């Protein structure tokens, strides 16, 4: 049975960006393990289940899975995870990832190892694409240097933070994903004129944001060679 590791934030993951791939991969028959930096259950960004922002149906679905899914409620610590044990590693997005996932040495190692060989794949979504600005390959070069990627764009961030880079909850944004990933050498294109944006470059798959979550999951399955009934 193919397997996947989900690396999820304890500082606030965006509901759709985790639950949509989690559900899609589960329905496709993958054996899924969830990991967080400390092994405590991941935290759901409450803005991502605000019915006024995402709609009643999505809000209810995400919250239900978040509260009842045993994998989400019993994660393993990142330090205990080995990329070689999984066919793919998935990094859901959310602003919270900037405080833990993208800064975590074990998360970076999982990303590096999942795209280093011929077998693994990595899917990185939205704000967690920022991890590419801090991850180096075995030669010490930025993993993203020269790779084509998408991710959460500055144009969208401008509509969220205030003039002091403060989020609606009062936290100061540590960095802007697009700026940092481009500075690390990425060929960045968030495809702002398109409804969705998913980019495949070798074993690295990146997705722009919540509306791209479903396409990202299907793309990952295609890259893994897993057929679905849809």
């Amino acid at each position: 049975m193919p397997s996947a590791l989900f690396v999820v934030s304890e500082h606030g993951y965006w509901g759709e960006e985790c639950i949509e791939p989690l559900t899609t991969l589960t329905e496709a028959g993958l054996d899924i393990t969830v990991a967080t930096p400390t092994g405590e259950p991941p935290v759901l960004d409450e803005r991502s289940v605000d019915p006024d922002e995402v709609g009643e149906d999505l809000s209810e679905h995400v919250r239900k899975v978040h509260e009842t899914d045993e994998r989400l409620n019993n994660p393993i610590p990142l330090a205990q995870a080995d990329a070689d044990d999984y066919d793919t590693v998935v990094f859901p997005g959310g602003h919270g990832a900037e405080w833990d996932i993208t800064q975590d040495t074990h998360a970076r190692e999982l990303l590096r190892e999942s795209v280093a060989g011929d077998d693994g794949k990595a899917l990185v979504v939205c704000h967690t694409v920022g991890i590419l600005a801090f991850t180096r390959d075995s030669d010490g070069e930025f993993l993203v240097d020269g790779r084509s990627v998408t991710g959460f764009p500055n144009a969208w961030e401008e509509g969220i933070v205030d003039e002091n880079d403060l989020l609606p909850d009062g936290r100061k944004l540590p960095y802007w994903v697009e700026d940092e990933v481009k500075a690390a050498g990425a060929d960045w294109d968030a495809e702002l004129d398109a409804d969705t944006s998913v980019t495949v470059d070798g074993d690295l798959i990146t997705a722009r944001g919540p509306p791209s979550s479903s396409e990202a999951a299907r793309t990952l399955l295609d890259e893994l060679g897993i057929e679905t009934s849809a």
Side-chain angles (χ1 to χ4, degrees):
M1 178 184 296
S3 59
L5 177 71
F6 274 62
V7 178
V8 191
S9 176
E10 294 173 58
H11 284 262
Y13 74 87
W14 196 264
E16 183 178 2
E17 294 171 354
C18 177
I19 303 306
E20 177 63 31
L22 183 73
T23 302
T24 299
L25 268 59
T26 297
E27 292 175 348
L30 274 72
D31 181 24
I32 296 174
T33 300
V34 174
T36 60
T38 72
E40 290 296 315
V43 173
L44 179 62
D45 187 328
E46 287 298 320
R47 290 187 303 125
S48 72
V49 286
D50 181 351
D52 292 333
E53 181 161 349
V54 303
E56 289 281 355
D57 291 344
L58 181 58
S59 173
E60 292 178 5
H61 172 63
V62 167
R63 193 176 290 281
K64 180 179 180 180
V65 176
H66 171 77
E67 293 175 352
T68 63
D69 192 286
E70 293 185 3
R71 299 163 299 185
L72 284 170
N73 285 282
N74 292 284
I76 64 172
L78 276 178
Q80 294 183 12
D82 187 336
D84 290 340
D85 294 335
Y86 305 94
D87 295 290
T88 184
V89 181
V90 179
F91 297 81
H95 278 100
E98 292 198 14
W99 279 273
D100 59 359
I101 302 302
T102 68
Q103 306 302 314
D104 191 288
T105 184
H106 295 103
R108 296 176 195 172
E109 181 180 4
L110 285 164
L111 175 59
R112 179 172 56 251
E113 295 302 318
S114 64
V115 302
D118 297 328
D119 299 328
K121 307 283 183 185
L123 168 60
V124 192
V125 185
C126 195
H127 280 89
T128 312
V129 171
I131 195 174
L132 294 167
F134 308 103
T135 304
R136 295 179 182 269
D137 62 22
S138 58
D139 295 322
E141 303 297 328
F142 282 114
L143 182 68
V144 76
D145 189 19
R147 287 181 181 266
S148 297
V149 300
T150 185
F152 198 82
N154 286 351
W156 290 8
E157 202 74 86
E158 291 170 357
I160 298 175
V161 299
D162 67 10
E163 67 274 12
N164 297 314
D165 280 0
L166 297 182
L167 290 162
D169 62 12
R171 293 183 293 178
K172 184 180 185 300
L173 193 69
Y175 61 86
W176 290 41
V177 172
E178 179 178 342
D179 289 343
E180 297 297 329
V181 175
K182 287 168 68 174
D187 178 8
W188 175 280
D189 185 1
E191 302 176 287
L192 294 179
D193 293 332
D195 292 337
T196 62
S197 177
V198 176
T199 299
V200 179
D201 190 317
D203 291 332
L204 176 65
I205 305 164
T206 50
R208 186 179 61 198
S212 302
S213 301
S214 180
E215 181 184 346
R218 295 194 303 270
T219 299
L220 176 58
L221 290 173
D222 287 343
E223 290 298 309
L224 290 170
I226 298 173
E227 296 183 1
T228 63
S229 57

